[in-house]
Amino acid sequence: MTSVVKQFGLFLAPHRDDAARKEQAIAADGLGYGAVWLGTGRNSVGDLAFVEDLLASTERITVATAIVNMWVDEPETLAASYHRLAGRYGKRLLLGVGVGHPESVTEYRSPYDKIVDYLDRLDAAGVPTGARILAALGDRVLKLAAERTAGAHPYLVPVAHTRHARSILGPGKLLAPEQKVVVDTDPVAARAIGRPYVQNPYLGLRNYVTNLRRHGYPEADVEGGGSDRLIDDLVRHGSPETIAKDLRSHVDAGADHVAVQVLGPSPDVELVHQRQLAEVLL
């Protein structure tokens, strides 16, 4: 089973370069965050080279992929990389895997079957169930996450989804939603930072939009750049203390762990805000 047991970690998105993310991961290790979740986008990461670099550069923090795209990296390649690292780093390594979204690949077919086949092949290659977590939004994939992996890592979800996801996963399975935040008490300034990270590409992707509509956001909220209500829910803002209270609402709704994506105008500012949040969260 993974060692992600602390309630809060950091989601490090691929819009920052690896040097900046490495600095943030090392700082997160010292601050006491439970995990760093490495956003991968559409990139091939099956060799886990950057994951290995972070594991070697830190002492205790869990390093998770978020997520390995099943259409990009073959499960056998990922499994070989897992076995290369597992003997040395063990439970500090967590494989986040998922099927992505239809718009990201030209050969996108039968996503559920793709997930099942991928997990079957990870099984055959000896990757333990507890060493992997599944990106999941809808009920069918959440149920699969409960049956075949350590749990679920939903991305871009409100607290209502966290509550629902726990009801589907049941007890004893890791639920680790991602939550974006901007440390700024000015709502206009905070939305100016946060809205682009919601609008592009997610409000143009049907699986995310469908999920948001399912959990309380009608067409008026998801069209265009998203309503202020939607942006405020998906990108929490305020003082560190206010944001900490908002993040704990995911825990109250059933999350075991929240992957906090701190958004700011630069990596250095994000690092400062990650430290400020650690002071009130950890």
Side-chain angles (χ1 to χ4, degrees):
M1 177 62 70
T2 173
S3 64
V4 178
V5 291
K6 292 193 175 183
Q7 288 182 339
F8 300 100
L10 293 180
F11 187 102
L12 306 180
H15 67 267
R16 298 302 183 199
D17 63 32
D18 285 352
R21 294 201 291 173
K22 182 175 179 178
E23 182 180 7
Q24 292 178 344
I26 292 171
D29 189 42
L31 290 168
Y33 285 103
V36 286
W37 300 77
L38 301 181
T40 63
R42 303 177 187 179
N43 300 320
S44 174
V45 296
D47 62 4
L48 299 183
F50 187 45
V51 172
E52 184 172 13
D53 185 20
L54 294 194
L55 286 167
S57 302
T58 54
E59 294 182 359
R60 46 144 218 99
I61 201 165
T62 295
V63 180
T65 57
I67 59 168
V68 174
N69 191 317
M70 292 178 176
W71 301 99
V72 175
D73 286 301
E74 294 295 322
E76 290 78 16
T77 301
L78 183 61
S81 298
Y82 168 80
H83 289 302
R84 186 183 80 245
L85 300 179
R88 183 172 181 184
Y89 299 106
K91 294 180 180 180
R92 291 181 58 209
L93 171 61
L94 179 61
L95 300 180
V97 296
V99 78
H101 45 82
E103 295 86 350
S104 69
V105 289
T106 57
E107 59 182 281
Y108 196 91
R109 296 289 187 276
S110 185
Y112 186 83
D113 290 345
K114 177 71 172 182
I115 297 171
V116 171
D117 177 69
Y118 203 94
L119 296 177
D120 287 345
R121 290 162 68 184
L122 288 179
D123 285 343
V127 176
T129 298
R132 63 204 194 201
I133 191 168
L134 187 60
L137 293 176
D139 290 4
R140 195 179 186 198
V141 181
L142 284 167
K143 290 175 183 176
L144 190 63
E147 295 166 359
R148 303 289 305 275
T149 76
H153 173 53
Y155 187 89
L156 199 77
V157 293
V159 171
H161 182 274
T162 296
R163 185 174 297 107
H164 177 75
R166 173 53 68 196
S167 73
I168 300 299
L169 286 175
K173 286 294 180 176
L174 178 64
L175 177 56
E178 175 267 354
Q179 174 69 62
K180 294 175 179 59
V181 305
V182 174
V183 181
D184 195 322
T185 57
D186 180 346
V188 175
R191 290 172 193 142
I193 293 173
R195 179 171 270 111
Y197 292 99
V198 175
Q199 182 178 7
N200 184 23
Y202 301 107
L203 294 187
L205 301 177
R206 65 177 180 265
N207 57 336
Y208 286 100
V209 170
T210 298
N211 189 61
L212 291 169
R213 294 184 69 177
R214 187 184 297 125
H215 291 283
Y217 301 92
E219 187 64 31
D221 280 317
V222 299
E223 64 184 4
S227 68
D228 287 349
R229 179 175 85 100
L230 176 70
I231 300 304
D232 289 349
D233 286 351
L234 297 179
V235 189
R236 295 293 190 173
H237 68 264
S239 67
E241 292 77 13
T242 297
I243 290 173
K245 181 178 178 180
D246 290 337
L247 292 171
R248 291 191 179 102
S249 66
H250 278 286
V251 177
D252 293 341
D256 302 290
H257 176 92
V258 183
V260 185
Q261 184 174 172
V262 179
L263 301 175
S266 71
D268 290 341
V269 171
E270 290 169 355
L271 186 58
V272 170
H273 291 166
Q274 289 161 3
R275 291 182 182 277
Q276 291 174 342
L277 285 170
E279 291 176 0
V280 293
L281 279 174
L282 306 177

